[in-house]
Amino acid sequence: QSVLTQPPSASGTPGQRVTISCSGSSSNIETKSVNWYQQLPGTAPKLLIFSNNQRPSEVPDRFSGSKSGTSASLAISGLQSEDEADYYCASWDDGFNGRVLFGGGTKLTVL
Amino acid sequence: QVHLQQSGRGLVKPSETLSLTCVVSGYDIRDGCYWGWIRQSPGKGPEWIGSIYEDGRTYHSPSLKSRISMSVDASKNQFSLNLTSMTAADTGTYYCARHGTLGNLGKFDFWGQGTVVSVS
């Protein structure tokens, strides 16, 4: 079981807005940056959001991130079929002399 | 553009050591980033293995620490991972990646293509 907790699945119809949550603790999300990754089948994870709410230049502004306390969220607006993928949150954790944690992942289905 | 190219054997026998190398192009490995290794078991989320800085400073996953060794060869602009005592539980896809700076070590912005590792 991951220390960063995500819902296993989420879904939406084209054009909708969906959010994916990531719950952690004071040793990770509350005090460290949160990052989000998108993974399509058979490919490496792709950085989607870094430092809580920053987007790499090539990522559409339909993707946004936020953080409050020990939780973070990824929002996808104007949902498109190509957004169907696995999404992971990640953060540094101060436990065990420091480690990177990934969430368990959320499978997004576009209906 | 930063590019990471992985190499190494994908088939390992139980108890043997996995050795992987990641060659970096488009970026000087000495230029202030950490370099990391991540693996992913079939159907599971990514799992961080460890990370190394240009000067040899390392961070390791607590669960794998006793089995990991990492190194940087700045002359070849590459970094490497050895994971000893491999078992079937270590089967999965292994990635190298460029890390964020100390301010955000959960950020991996460039990834290698992945190496499928089977222990059998």
Side-chain angles (χ1 to χ4, degrees):
Chain A
Q1 189 173 358
S2 302
V3 176
L4 301 184
T5 302
Q6 298 180 234
S9 63
S11 64
T13 56
Q16 266 192 330
R17 181 178 188 271
V18 297
T19 60
I20 296 171
S21 62
C22 177
S23 177
S25 69
S26 59
S27 63
N28 43 71
I29 289 179
E30 186 170 39
T31 54
K32 306 298 178 189
S33 287
V34 178
N35 309 275
W36 290 91
Y37 297 87
Q38 178 193 61
Q39 188 174 32
L40 299 170
T43 68
K46 170 191 171 185
L47 182 66
L48 207 59
I49 298 288
F50 66 96
S51 299
N52 307 323
N53 55 16
Q54 303 298 302
R55 277 179 294 107
S57 57
E58 69 275 13
V59 173
D61 60 5
R62 302 187 295 105
F63 295 89
S64 62
S66 63
K67 186 177 83 168
S68 178
T70 58
S71 293
S73 292
L74 172 71
I76 309 171
S77 59
L79 198 63
Q80 299 179 4
S81 58
E82 56 261 39
D83 298 333
E84 185 161 295
D86 294 320
Y87 293 85
Y88 299 96
C89 58
S91 176
W92 184 255
D93 181 270
D94 281 333
F96 295 96
N97 294 317
R99 56 182 176 168
V100 178
L101 293 176
F102 284 91
T106 299
K107 169 67 178 175
L108 174 64
T109 300
V110 180
L111 302 169
Chain B
Q1 179 74 329
V2 181
H3 183 72
L4 283 73
Q5 183 69 39
Q6 297 178 221
S7 63
R9 276 193 310 129
L11 183 59
V12 179
K13 290 182 167 54
S15 79
E16 286 189 341
T17 295
L18 173 69
S19 295
L20 298 175
T21 295
C22 187
V23 178
V24 180
S25 57
Y27 190 87
D28 190 329
I29 203 167
R30 296 166 295 188
D31 223 0
C33 281
Y34 272 84
W35 303 89
W37 293 96
I38 302 103
R39 69 181 184 179
Q40 193 167 22
S41 300
K44 299 287 182 63
E47 176 190 12
W48 175 69
I49 298 171
S51 301
I52 187 166
Y53 196 64
E54 54 169 287
D55 62 2
R57 274 179 284 169
T58 58
Y59 290 98
H60 303 85
S61 165
S63 62
L64 298 171
K65 185 174 183 178
S66 63
R67 300 170 51 205
I68 297 171
S69 65
M70 294 178 288
S71 61
V72 168
D73 187 339
S75 68
K76 296 180 179 178
N77 220 41
Q78 67 184 39
F79 59 106
S80 299
L81 168 73
N82 283 344
L83 184 62
T84 63
S85 306
M86 294 285 285
T87 71
D90 297 310
T91 292
T93 301
Y94 285 67
Y95 297 99
C96 62
R98 190 179 80 166
H99 235 306
T101 61
L102 276 177
N104 186 4
L105 283 174
K107 174 188 177 186
F108 297 96
D109 54 3
F110 292 96
W111 294 65
Q113 79 277 21
T115 300
V116 177
V117 174
S118 180
V119 182
S120 178

